[in-house]
Amino acid sequence: MASIATTPVKAETMDFSYDTFGEAPDWFGYKKAETYDVAIHIDNPVLIGKRILGIRVPVNAQAENIDGCKGWLSQQLDAETIDKQSVFNPDITSVEGKFTGGFLTVSFQEPVQIPDDGIYIGYSYNIITVDDTNYKSVAVTDGKTSGGLWVHSSLTQKTWADMAKRSSLVSVMTVIMEGDFLKDAALPSFSEDIRIAEGENSLIPLEVTNIGSAGISSIEYAYDISGIKGTGVYEFPSPVPSVYGRKVIAMIEIDPVEGLGETSLSLSVLKVNGKSNEASDIDVSIPVMVQKFVPVYRPLVEEYTGLNCGFCPRGYVMLEQMKGSYGDRFVALSYHSSGWESNAMDCIKVSEFPVDPTGYPAASLNRNQTVDPSKIPALWEKCYMNPTQAEVMVDWIWTDDSNSRLKAEANVRFLQDIEGSDYRIAFIMLADGLSNPKWVQSNYYCNEQRTEEYSSHFWDLFIGQDEHLTGLTFNDIVVHASDYKGIEGSLPSDIACGEWYEYSYEIDPEEIVNLKGTHIVNDFNLTRMVAVIVDGRNGKPINCISSSYPSGGNATEMTVEEESTKELLYFDMQGRRIVCPDKGMYIKTEILNDGSLKTSKMIK
């Protein structure tokens, strides 16, 4: 980073954070009432000499349960024991902070210059009482950058710990700085394993890092791939904020390339915000593999929940939020556990779940270890652009006009010849729009306040609402599955590159019941079928896709009263958000004034 600066502009203010992608925070802590000291270390040569004005950081606490808020600067991180408690005293300055709206803010009366050997920037606070045994208060996100997070506490962590090194966590603290920054400046970089389809226009993810005080609203670029030269402009949907080191992905369009095999792509970011890119390091290149086709990769998300689980609304909100952001690219299956509800949406035995949840709510990505649902967005976003070796498509149709039987038709193709494989297709049926006035969702968020953590409008269904909620509408509910490890023989053992393989699976809607034998699907025209390519040796998914709602048969539009509608959302049959629907068939989601959701088909 030391080589990127050119001629500096006049003094500007700019933020800095190790939270490079600006993600919603996770929480770290020791689950007890004690004093926390949290720090980052800045020694980036580009930032040496800049002046620190203040900090801002979220803290997971209520105003009545936190005191002693401070912000401080220090050259060293030392601690001493006083009355059996470990105490830290910064050696440069310490000032009182303000805690409001879930954020601790600090302004230093005299700006402090970052010295040549760097500086520790931190904050401290006391947690007075702890009622929740899982309580954690320190705002963090995933990351390994050295200096990204140091933690000390009065009773548990009595010596300073480098949590970036120990646990791959960094602080989301924002540091406000003043100095001579570049203004319109961005660094380009590519991730590994770029693949494009022969003879087709391609979209390639370019990672853009902001290093200018103006942030980034657009970039202009030029590229060369296999002797094909082109230029383009990318307008960011939301401007990249003025945070030094903030990263964002731009989807760069590349003209068609002929010829299979490896080639090279060179790209230069020439302009930022319509002005010459002030960074000196504006060029990047990467090998590119040209293939017959490029499968769209959809990681499989599976959520485990229950009506009697008061923390399980976290999973509900996560699924709805991710679908709203990524449409049909996000595939999720929601399993309701009979251990947390009875005679409701519990349709699969817990012993048959693809993974064993260690607690509720839980979720898994590609059937790896279970995590809290709040971690799924970050995990999913880090892997959904990865390459995959197979493509899958699925149709979901009524077989007759009387709607007596449903059929899934899956088609699969692979990128290479494979001999002696054990790949299989699994079919998992989902129901949307499930509701029942007898279903009661436990809600431990009834007394929470709206904070940045609970910013999604889907939290309106739970924040400040009753402790026991009725009237909710549930989507993505698993109501039937063929075999989680796939149907034996559904794909051949010897596979030819690029050849399509088809397999069908039929279901009688009358057989779709919960574990008590109760029919719970409100409308089979609001069901979907997920087809998963599974490695039969270990049950792990290779790729997956969700169908649209069933076609054919007597699939008529559902009508919904709109008098109590608070907000209307429209999606096309591929799950993409549509602002103003034209002629065609759409999915209409209504957010009602009572907080419930209703989903229906709409034909214009």
Side-chain angles (χ1 to χ4, degrees), residues 32 81 100 117 133 144 146 192 222 241 268 332 382 404 418 421 457 485 489 564 572 579 593 595:
K32 64 175 64 173
T81 301
T100 57
D117 55 352
T133 57
K144 298 182 180 180
S146 177
E192 299 178 358
S268 301
K382 288 178 180 177
S404 64
I418 306 174
S421 72
H457 69 266
K485 289 190 175 181
S564 60
D572 66 14
V579 177
N593 287 326

Side-chain angles (χ1 to χ4, degrees), residues 316 319-320 323 330 332-334 345 396 429-435 439 472-479 520-530 546-550 558 571-573 575 587-589 597-601:
Y316 184 108
L319 295 188
E320 297 294 347
K323 286 188 298 180
F330 182 74
L333 317 177
S334 181
M345 291 167 281
W396 184 227
M429 181 179 174
L430 307 183
D432 291 338
L434 293 189
S435 62
W439 295 347
L472 289 174
T473 299
F474 296 86
N475 300 315
D476 307 294
I477 306 302
V478 176
V479 294
I520 63 168
V521 177
N522 298 355
D523 183 354
F524 282 93
N525 286 324
L526 291 178
T527 59
R528 293 178 285 121
M529 181 62 82
V530 173
S546 170
S547 74
S548 301
Y549 292 141
M558 290 178 60
F571 302 88
D572 66 14
M573 298 308 290
I587 311 302
K588 180 170 66 174
T589 297
L597 299 179
K598 291 189 176 181
T599 303
S600 62
K601 270 184 182 176

